[in-house]
Coordinates of all heavy atoms in Angstrom, one line a residue:
E838 N 28.6 15.8 -7.3 CA 27.2 15.6 -6.9 C 26.3 15.5 -8.2 O 25.4 14.7 -8.3 CB 26.6 16.7 -6.0 CG 27.1 16.5 -4.6 CD 26.7 15.2 -3.9 OE1 25.5 14.8 -4.1 OE2 27.6 14.6 -3.3
E839 N 26.6 16.4 -9.1 CA 25.8 16.5 -10.4 C 26.0 15.2 -11.2 O 25.1 14.6 -11.7 CB 26.2 17.7 -11.2 CG 25.4 17.9 -12.5 CD 25.9 19.1 -13.2 OE1 26.3 20.1 -12.6 OE2 25.7 19.0 -14.5
T840 N 27.2 14.7 -11.2 CA 27.5 13.5 -11.9 C 26.9 12.3 -11.3 O 26.3 11.4 -12.0 CB 29.1 13.2 -12.0 OG1 29.7 14.4 -12.6 CG2 29.4 12.0 -12.8
K841 N 26.9 12.2 -9.9 CA 26.2 11.1 -9.2 C 24.7 11.1 -9.5 O 24.2 10.1 -9.7 CB 26.4 11.3 -7.7 CG 27.8 10.8 -7.2 CD 27.8 10.5 -5.8 CE 28.2 11.5 -4.9 NZ 28.3 11.2 -3.5
E842 N 24.2 12.3 -9.6 CA 22.7 12.4 -9.8 C 22.4 11.9 -11.3 O 21.4 11.2 -11.5 CB 22.3 13.9 -9.6 CG 20.8 14.0 -9.5 CD 20.4 15.4 -9.1 OE1 21.0 15.9 -8.1 OE2 19.5 16.0 -9.8
K843 N 23.2 12.3 -12.2 CA 23.0 11.9 -13.6 C 23.1 10.4 -13.7 O 22.3 9.7 -14.4 CB 24.0 12.6 -14.5 CG 23.7 14.0 -14.8 CD 24.7 14.6 -15.8 CE 24.5 16.1 -16.0 NZ 25.5 16.6 -16.9
L844 N 24.1 9.8 -13.1 CA 24.3 8.4 -13.2 C 23.2 7.6 -12.5 O 22.7 6.6 -13.0 CB 25.7 8.0 -12.5 CG 26.9 8.3 -13.3 CD1 28.2 8.1 -12.4 CD2 27.0 7.5 -14.6
S845 N 22.7 8.2 -11.4 CA 21.6 7.5 -10.7 C 20.4 7.5 -11.6 O 19.7 6.5 -11.6 CB 21.3 8.3 -9.4 OG 20.2 7.8 -8.8
K846 N 20.1 8.5 -12.3 CA 18.9 8.6 -13.1 C 19.0 7.6 -14.3 O 18.0 7.2 -14.8 CB 18.7 10.0 -13.6 CG 18.2 11.0 -12.6 CD 18.0 12.4 -13.1 CE 17.5 13.3 -11.9 NZ 17.4 14.6 -12.4
T847 N 20.2 7.2 -14.7 CA 20.3 6.3 -15.8 C 19.9 4.9 -15.5 O 19.7 4.1 -16.4 CB 21.8 6.3 -16.4 OG1 22.6 5.7 -15.4 CG2 22.2 7.6 -16.8
K848 N 19.8 4.6 -14.2 CA 19.4 3.3 -13.7 C 18.0 3.2 -13.1 O 17.7 2.2 -12.5 CB 20.5 2.8 -12.7 CG 21.9 2.6 -13.2 CD 21.9 1.5 -14.3 CE 23.4 1.4 -14.8 NZ 23.4 0.5 -15.9
L849 N 17.2 4.2 -13.3 CA 15.9 4.2 -12.8 C 14.9 3.4 -13.7 O 15.0 3.4 -14.9 CB 15.4 5.6 -12.6 CG 16.0 6.4 -11.5 CD1 15.5 7.8 -11.5 CD2 15.8 5.8 -10.1
G850 N 13.9 2.8 -13.0 CA 12.8 2.2 -13.8 C 13.3 1.1 -14.7 O 14.0 0.2 -14.3
E851 N 12.8 1.1 -16.0 CA 13.1 0.1 -16.9 C 14.6 0.0 -17.3 O 15.0 -1.0 -17.8 CB 12.3 0.3 -18.2 CG 10.8 0.0 -17.9 CD 10.0 0.3 -19.2 OE1 10.5 0.6 -20.3 OE2 8.8 0.0 -19.1
N852 N 15.4 1.0 -17.0 CA 16.8 1.0 -17.3 C 17.6 0.2 -16.2 O 18.7 -0.1 -16.4 CB 17.4 2.4 -17.4 CG 16.8 3.1 -18.5 OD1 16.5 2.5 -19.6 ND2 16.6 4.4 -18.4
N853 N 17.0 -0.1 -15.1 CA 17.6 -0.9 -14.1 C 17.7 -2.3 -14.5 O 16.7 -2.9 -14.9 CB 16.8 -0.8 -12.8 CG 17.6 -1.3 -11.6 OD1 18.0 -2.5 -11.6 ND2 17.7 -0.6 -10.5
P854 N 18.9 -3.0 -14.4 CA 19.1 -4.4 -14.8 C 18.2 -5.3 -14.0 O 17.9 -6.4 -14.5 CB 20.5 -4.6 -14.6 CG 21.1 -3.6 -13.7 CD 20.2 -2.4 -13.9
M855 N 17.7 -5.0 -12.8 CA 16.8 -5.8 -12.0 C 15.4 -5.5 -12.2 O 14.5 -6.1 -11.6 CB 17.2 -5.6 -10.5 CG 18.6 -6.1 -10.2 SD 18.9 -7.8 -10.6 CE 17.8 -8.6 -9.5
Y856 N 15.0 -4.6 -13.1 CA 13.6 -4.2 -13.3 C 12.8 -5.4 -13.8 O 13.2 -6.1 -14.7 CB 13.6 -3.1 -14.4 CG 12.2 -2.6 -14.7 CD1 11.5 -1.7 -13.8 CD2 11.5 -3.1 -15.8 CE1 10.3 -1.3 -14.1 CE2 10.2 -2.7 -16.0 CZ 9.6 -1.7 -15.2 OH 8.3 -1.3 -15.4
G857 N 11.7 -5.6 -13.1 CA 10.8 -6.7 -13.5 C 11.2 -8.1 -13.0 O 10.5 -9.1 -13.3
K858 N 12.3 -8.2 -12.4 CA 12.8 -9.5 -12.0 C 12.4 -9.8 -10.5 O 12.8 -9.0 -9.6 CB 14.3 -9.6 -12.1 CG 14.8 -9.6 -13.6 CD 16.2 -9.7 -13.7 CE 16.6 -9.6 -15.2 NZ 18.0 -9.7 -15.4
T859 N 11.6 -10.8 -10.3 CA 11.2 -11.1 -9.0 C 11.3 -12.6 -8.8 O 11.2 -13.4 -9.8 CB 9.7 -10.7 -8.7 OG1 8.9 -11.3 -9.7 CG2 9.6 -9.2 -8.8
G860 N 11.3 -13.0 -7.6 CA 11.3 -14.5 -7.3 C 12.4 -15.2 -8.1 O 13.5 -14.9 -8.1
E861 N 11.9 -16.3 -8.7 CA 12.9 -17.2 -9.4 C 13.5 -16.5 -10.6 O 14.5 -17.0 -11.1 CB 12.2 -18.5 -9.8 CG 11.8 -19.3 -8.5 CD 11.0 -20.5 -8.9 OE1 10.8 -20.8 -10.1 OE2 10.5 -21.2 -7.9
N862 N 12.9 -15.4 -11.1 CA 13.5 -14.7 -12.3 C 14.7 -13.9 -11.9 O 15.5 -13.4 -12.7 CB 12.5 -13.8 -13.0 CG 11.4 -14.7 -13.5 OD1 11.6 -15.8 -14.0 ND2 10.2 -14.1 -13.5
N863 N 14.8 -13.7 -10.6 CA 15.9 -12.8 -10.0 C 17.2 -13.6 -9.8 O 17.1 -14.7 -9.2 CB 15.4 -12.2 -8.7 CG 16.4 -11.3 -8.1 OD1 17.6 -11.3 -8.3 ND2 15.9 -10.4 -7.2
P864 N 18.3 -13.2 -10.4 CA 19.5 -14.0 -10.3 C 20.0 -14.1 -8.8 O 20.8 -15.0 -8.5 CB 20.5 -13.3 -11.2 CG 20.0 -11.9 -11.4 CD 18.5 -12.1 -11.3
N865 N 19.5 -13.2 -8.0 CA 19.9 -13.2 -6.6 C 19.0 -14.1 -5.7 O 19.2 -14.2 -4.5 CB 19.9 -11.8 -6.0 CG 21.0 -10.9 -6.7 OD1 22.0 -11.4 -7.0 ND2 20.6 -9.7 -6.9
Y866 N 18.0 -14.7 -6.3 CA 17.1 -15.5 -5.6 C 17.7 -16.9 -5.3 O 18.1 -17.6 -6.2 CB 15.8 -15.7 -6.5 CG 14.8 -16.7 -5.9 CD1 13.9 -16.3 -4.9 CD2 14.8 -18.0 -6.3 CE1 13.0 -17.1 -4.4 CE2 13.9 -18.9 -5.8 CZ 13.0 -18.5 -4.8 OH 12.0 -19.3 -4.3
T867 N 17.9 -17.2 -4.1 CA 18.5 -18.4 -3.7 C 17.7 -19.0 -2.5 O 17.9 -18.6 -1.4 CB 20.0 -18.3 -3.3 OG1 20.7 -17.6 -4.3 CG2 20.6 -19.6 -3.0
P868 N 16.8 -20.0 -2.8 CA 16.1 -20.5 -1.7 C 17.0 -21.4 -0.8 O 17.9 -22.0 -1.3 CB 15.0 -21.4 -2.3 CG 15.5 -21.6 -3.7 CD 16.4 -20.5 -4.1
R869 N 16.8 -21.3 0.5 CA 17.6 -22.0 1.5 C 16.7 -22.9 2.3 O 15.5 -22.6 2.4 CB 18.4 -21.1 2.4 CG 19.2 -20.0 1.7 CD 20.6 -20.5 1.3 NE 21.3 -19.4 0.8 CZ 22.4 -19.5 0.2 NH1 23.0 -20.7 0.0 NH2 23.1 -18.5 -0.3
N870 N 17.2 -23.8 3.0 CA 16.4 -24.6 4.0 C 16.6 -23.9 5.3 O 17.6 -24.0 5.9 CB 16.9 -26.0 4.0 CG 16.6 -26.8 2.8 OD1 15.6 -26.6 2.2 ND2 17.5 -27.7 2.4
W871 N 15.5 -23.2 5.7 CA 15.5 -22.4 7.0 C 14.8 -23.2 8.1 O 13.9 -23.9 7.8 CB 14.8 -21.1 6.8 CG 15.5 -20.2 5.8 CD1 15.3 -20.0 4.5 CD2 16.5 -19.3 6.2 NE1 16.2 -19.1 4.0 CE2 16.9 -18.6 5.0 CE3 17.2 -18.9 7.4 CZ2 17.9 -17.6 5.0 CZ3 18.1 -18.0 7.4 CH2 18.5 -17.3 6.2
Y872 N 15.4 -23.1 9.3 CA 14.8 -23.8 10.4 C 14.7 -22.8 11.6 O 15.6 -22.0 11.8 CB 15.7 -24.9 10.8 CG 15.3 -25.6 12.1 CD1 14.2 -26.5 12.1 CD2 15.9 -25.3 13.3 CE1 13.7 -27.1 13.3 CE2 15.4 -25.9 14.5 CZ 14.4 -26.8 14.5 OH 13.9 -27.4 15.6
H873 N 13.6 -22.9 12.3 CA 13.4 -22.1 13.5 C 12.8 -23.0 14.6 O 11.9 -23.7 14.3 CB 12.4 -20.9 13.2 CG 12.3 -20.0 14.4 ND1 11.6 -20.2 15.5 CD2 12.9 -18.8 14.5 CE1 11.8 -19.1 16.3 NE2 12.6 -18.3 15.7
P874 N 13.5 -23.1 15.7 CA 13.1 -24.1 16.7 C 11.6 -23.9 17.2 O 11.0 -24.9 17.5 CB 14.0 -23.8 17.9 CG 14.7 -22.5 17.6 CD 14.6 -22.2 16.2
V875 N 11.1 -22.8 17.2 CA 9.7 -22.6 17.6 C 8.7 -23.1 16.6 O 7.7 -23.8 16.9 CB 9.4 -21.1 17.9 CG1 7.9 -20.9 18.2 CG2 10.2 -20.6 19.1
H876 N 9.0 -22.9 15.3 CA 8.2 -23.4 14.2 C 8.4 -24.9 14.0 O 7.4 -25.6 13.6 CB 8.4 -22.7 12.9 CG 8.1 -21.2 13.0 ND1 6.8 -20.8 13.0 CD2 8.9 -20.1 13.2 CE1 6.8 -19.5 13.2 NE2 8.1 -19.0 13.2
G877 N 9.6 -25.4 14.3 CA 9.9 -26.8 14.2 C 9.8 -27.5 12.9 O 9.7 -28.7 12.8
E878 N 9.8 -26.7 11.8 CA 9.8 -27.3 10.5 C 10.8 -26.6 9.6 O 11.3 -25.5 9.9 CB 8.4 -27.2 9.8 CG 8.0 -25.8 9.6 CD 6.6 -25.7 8.9 OE1 6.4 -26.2 7.8 OE2 5.7 -25.2 9.6
V879 N 11.2 -27.3 8.5 CA 12.2 -26.7 7.6 C 11.4 -26.1 6.5 O 10.5 -26.7 5.9 CB 13.2 -27.8 7.1 CG1 14.1 -27.2 6.0 CG2 14.0 -28.4 8.2
L880 N 11.7 -24.8 6.2 CA 11.1 -24.1 5.1 C 12.1 -23.8 4.0 O 13.1 -23.2 4.3 CB 10.5 -22.8 5.6 CG 9.4 -22.9 6.7 CD1 9.1 -21.5 7.1 CD2 8.2 -23.6 6.2
Q881 N 11.8 -24.2 2.8 CA 12.7 -23.9 1.7 C 12.3 -22.6 1.1 O 11.4 -22.5 0.2 CB 12.8 -25.0 0.6 CG 13.9 -24.7 -0.4 CD 14.1 -25.8 -1.4 OE1 13.2 -26.7 -1.5 NE2 15.2 -25.8 -2.0
K882 N 12.9 -21.4 1.5 CA 12.4 -20.1 1.1 C 13.7 -19.2 0.9 O 14.7 -19.5 1.4 CB 11.6 -19.5 2.2 CG 10.3 -20.2 2.5 CD 9.3 -20.2 1.4 CE 8.1 -21.0 1.7 NZ 7.2 -21.2 0.6
S883 N 13.5 -18.1 0.2 CA 14.5 -17.1 0.1 C 14.4 -16.2 1.3 O 13.4 -16.2 2.1 CB 14.4 -16.3 -1.2 OG 13.2 -15.5 -1.1
C884 N 15.4 -15.3 1.5 CA 15.4 -14.4 2.7 C 14.1 -13.5 2.6 O 13.4 -13.3 3.6 CB 16.6 -13.5 2.7 SG 18.1 -14.5 2.9
S885 N 13.9 -12.9 1.4 CA 12.7 -12.0 1.3 C 11.4 -12.7 1.5 O 10.5 -12.1 2.0 CB 12.8 -11.3 -0.1 OG 12.8 -12.2 -1.1
E886 N 11.3 -14.0 1.1 CA 10.1 -14.7 1.3 C 9.8 -14.9 2.8 O 8.7 -14.8 3.3 CB 10.1 -16.1 0.7 CG 10.0 -16.0 -0.8 CD 10.2 -17.3 -1.5 OE1 11.0 -18.1 -1.1 OE2 9.4 -17.6 -2.4
L887 N 10.9 -15.2 3.6 CA 10.7 -15.3 5.1 C 10.3 -14.0 5.7 O 9.4 -14.0 6.6 CB 12.0 -15.7 5.7 CG 12.4 -17.2 5.7 CD1 13.7 -17.4 6.4 CD2 11.3 -18.0 6.3
V888 N 10.8 -12.9 5.2 CA 10.5 -11.6 5.7 C 9.0 -11.3 5.5 O 8.3 -10.9 6.4 CB 11.3 -10.4 5.1 CG1 10.8 -9.1 5.4 CG2 12.8 -10.6 5.5
R889 N 8.5 -11.7 4.3 CA 7.1 -11.5 4.0 C 6.2 -12.5 4.7 O 5.1 -12.1 5.1 CB 6.8 -11.6 2.5 CG 7.3 -10.4 1.7 CD 6.7 -10.5 0.2 NE 7.2 -11.7 -0.5 CZ 8.3 -11.7 -1.2 NH1 9.1 -10.7 -1.2 NH2 8.7 -12.8 -1.8
M890 N 6.6 -13.7 4.9 CA 5.8 -14.7 5.6 C 5.6 -14.4 7.1 O 4.6 -14.8 7.7 CB 6.4 -16.1 5.4 CG 6.3 -16.7 4.1 SD 7.1 -18.3 4.0 CE 6.0 -19.3 5.1
F891 N 6.6 -13.8 7.7 CA 6.5 -13.6 9.2 C 6.7 -12.1 9.6 O 7.7 -11.8 10.2 CB 7.6 -14.5 9.9 CG 7.5 -15.9 9.6 CD1 8.2 -16.6 8.6 CD2 6.5 -16.7 10.3 CE1 8.1 -17.9 8.4 CE2 6.3 -18.0 10.0 CZ 7.1 -18.7 9.0
P892 N 5.8 -11.3 9.2 CA 6.0 -9.8 9.5 C 6.0 -9.6 11.0 O 6.6 -8.6 11.4 CB 4.8 -9.2 8.8 CG 3.8 -10.3 8.6 CD 4.5 -11.5 8.5
E893 N 5.3 -10.4 11.8 CA 5.2 -10.2 13.2 C 6.6 -10.4 13.9 O 6.8 -9.9 15.0 CB 4.2 -11.1 13.8 CG 4.6 -12.6 13.9 CD 4.4 -13.3 12.6 OE1 3.9 -12.8 11.6 OE2 4.8 -14.5 12.5
Q894 N 7.5 -11.1 13.2 CA 8.9 -11.3 13.8 C 9.8 -10.2 13.5 O 10.9 -10.2 14.0 CB 9.4 -12.6 13.3 CG 8.7 -13.8 13.8 CD 9.4 -15.1 13.5 OE1 10.5 -15.2 13.1 NE2 8.6 -16.2 13.6
N895 N 9.4 -9.2 12.6 CA 10.3 -8.1 12.2 C 11.6 -8.6 11.8 O 12.7 -8.1 12.2 CB 10.4 -7.1 13.4 CG 10.9 -5.8 13.0 OD1 10.7 -5.4 11.8 ND2 11.5 -5.0 13.9
L896 N 11.7 -9.5 10.8 CA 12.9 -10.0 10.3 C 13.5 -9.0 9.3 O 12.8 -8.2 8.7 CB 12.7 -11.3 9.5 CG 12.1 -12.5 10.4 CD1 11.7 -13.7 9.5 CD2 13.1 -12.9 11.5
H897 N 14.8 -9.0 9.2 CA 15.6 -8.1 8.3 C 16.2 -8.9 7.2 O 17.0 -9.9 7.5 CB 16.6 -7.3 9.1 CG 16.0 -6.5 10.2 ND1 15.4 -5.3 9.9 CD2 15.8 -6.7 11.5 CE1 14.9 -4.8 11.1 NE2 15.2 -5.7 12.1
N898 N 16.0 -8.6 6.0 CA 16.5 -9.3 4.8 C 18.0 -9.3 4.9 O 18.6 -10.4 4.6 CB 16.0 -8.6 3.6 CG 16.1 -9.5 2.4 OD1 16.4 -10.7 2.5 ND2 15.9 -8.9 1.2
S899 N 18.7 -8.2 5.2 CA 20.1 -8.2 5.3 C 20.7 -9.1 6.3 O 21.7 -9.8 6.1 CB 20.7 -6.8 5.5 OG 20.2 -6.2 6.7
A900 N 20.1 -9.2 7.5 CA 20.5 -10.1 8.5 C 20.3 -11.6 8.1 O 21.2 -12.4 8.4 CB 19.8 -9.8 9.8
L901 N 19.2 -11.9 7.5 CA 19.0 -13.2 7.0 C 20.0 -13.6 5.9 O 20.5 -14.7 5.8 CB 17.6 -13.4 6.5 CG 16.5 -13.4 7.5 CD1 15.1 -13.3 6.8 CD2 16.6 -14.6 8.4
S902 N 20.4 -12.6 5.1 CA 21.4 -12.9 4.0 C 22.7 -13.2 4.7 O 23.4 -14.1 4.2 CB 21.5 -11.6 3.1 OG 20.4 -11.4 2.4
Q903 N 23.1 -12.5 5.7 CA 24.3 -12.8 6.4 C 24.3 -14.2 7.0 O 25.3 -14.9 7.0 CB 24.6 -11.8 7.5 CG 24.9 -10.5 7.0 CD 25.2 -9.4 8.0 OE1 24.8 -9.6 9.2 NE2 25.8 -8.3 7.7
V904 N 23.1 -14.7 7.5 CA 23.0 -16.0 8.0 C 23.2 -17.0 6.9 O 23.9 -18.0 7.0 CB 21.6 -16.3 8.7 CG1 21.4 -17.7 9.1 CG2 21.5 -15.4 9.9
A905 N 22.5 -16.7 5.7 CA 22.6 -17.6 4.6 C 24.1 -17.7 4.1 O 24.5 -18.8 3.6 CB 21.7 -17.1 3.5
L906 N 24.8 -16.7 4.2 CA 26.2 -16.7 3.7 C 27.2 -17.1 4.8 O 28.4 -17.0 4.7 CB 26.6 -15.2 3.3 CG 25.9 -14.8 2.0 CD1 26.1 -13.3 1.8 CD2 26.2 -15.6 0.8
K907 N 26.7 -17.6 6.0 CA 27.4 -18.1 7.1 C 28.3 -17.0 7.8 O 29.3 -17.3 8.3 CB 28.3 -19.3 6.7 CG 27.6 -20.4 5.9 CD 27.4 -21.6 6.8 CE 26.8 -22.7 6.0 NZ 25.4 -23.0 6.2
K908 N 27.8 -15.8 7.7 CA 28.5 -14.7 8.4 C 28.0 -14.4 9.8 O 28.6 -13.8 10.6 CB 28.5 -13.4 7.5 CG 29.3 -13.5 6.2 CD 29.2 -12.2 5.5 CE 30.0 -12.4 4.2 NZ 30.0 -11.1 3.4
R909 N 26.8 -15.0 10.0 CA 26.1 -14.9 11.3 C 25.6 -16.3 11.6 O 25.1 -17.0 10.7 CB 24.9 -13.9 11.3 CG 25.2 -12.5 11.2 CD 24.0 -11.7 11.1 NE 23.2 -11.7 12.3 CZ 22.4 -10.7 12.7 NH1 22.3 -9.6 12.0 NH2 21.7 -10.8 13.9
P910 N 25.5 -16.7 12.9 CA 25.0 -18.0 13.2 C 23.5 -18.1 13.1 O 22.9 -19.2 12.7 CB 25.4 -18.2 14.7 CG 25.7 -16.9 15.2 CD 26.1 -16.0 14.1
H911 N 22.7 -17.0 13.4 CA 21.3 -17.0 13.3 C 20.7 -15.6 13.3 O 21.5 -14.7 13.6 CB 20.6 -17.8 14.4 CG 20.8 -17.1 15.7 ND1 20.0 -16.2 16.2 CD2 21.8 -17.2 16.7 CE1 20.4 -15.7 17.4 NE2 21.5 -16.4 17.7
H912 N 19.5 -15.4 12.9 CA 18.8 -14.1 13.0 C 17.4 -14.4 13.7 O 16.6 -15.1 13.1 CB 18.6 -13.5 11.7 CG 17.8 -12.2 11.7 ND1 18.2 -11.1 12.5 CD2 16.7 -11.8 11.1 CE1 17.3 -10.2 12.4 NE2 16.4 -10.6 11.5
K913 N 17.3 -14.0 14.9 CA 16.0 -14.1 15.7 C 15.6 -15.6 15.7 O 14.4 -15.9 15.5 CB 14.9 -13.2 15.1 CG 15.3 -11.8 15.3 CD 14.2 -10.8 14.8 CE 14.6 -9.4 15.0 NZ 13.6 -8.4 14.7
G914 N 16.6 -16.5 15.8 CA 16.3 -17.9 15.9 C 16.4 -18.7 14.5 O 16.5 -19.9 14.5
W915 N 16.3 -17.9 13.4 CA 16.3 -18.6 12.1 C 17.7 -19.0 11.7 O 18.6 -18.2 11.8 CB 15.7 -17.6 11.1 CG 14.2 -17.5 11.2 CD1 13.6 -16.5 11.8 CD2 13.2 -18.4 10.7 NE1 12.2 -16.7 11.7 CE2 12.0 -17.9 11.1 CE3 13.3 -19.6 10.0 CZ2 10.8 -18.5 10.7 CZ3 12.1 -20.2 9.7 CH2 10.9 -19.7 10.0
K916 N 17.9 -20.2 11.3 CA 19.2 -20.8 10.9 C 19.0 -21.5 9.6 O 17.9 -21.9 9.2 CB 19.6 -21.8 11.9 CG 19.9 -21.3 13.3 CD 20.4 -22.4 14.2 CE 20.6 -21.8 15.6 NZ 21.1 -22.8 16.5
V917 N 20.1 -21.6 8.9 CA 20.2 -22.3 7.6 C 20.6 -23.7 7.9 O 21.5 -24.0 8.6 CB 21.1 -21.6 6.6 CG1 21.3 -22.5 5.3 CG2 20.7 -20.3 6.2

């Protein structure tokens, strides 16, 4: 436990390799063409952008990621 705690502290804040990386600066940022039958339009957005754009739908970033990776057919109607 002590070792885990020490290792965890070494990656906090500015020491974290993802620190300060958002949107297109983030290597994990991959916009996809998303479609939802109710909205009827194609949106080129990342998973996290969809979550922020539609808070009323209570979308989950991890579930959208699984759709983007073709591990799930859809998440609350959203498809790639």
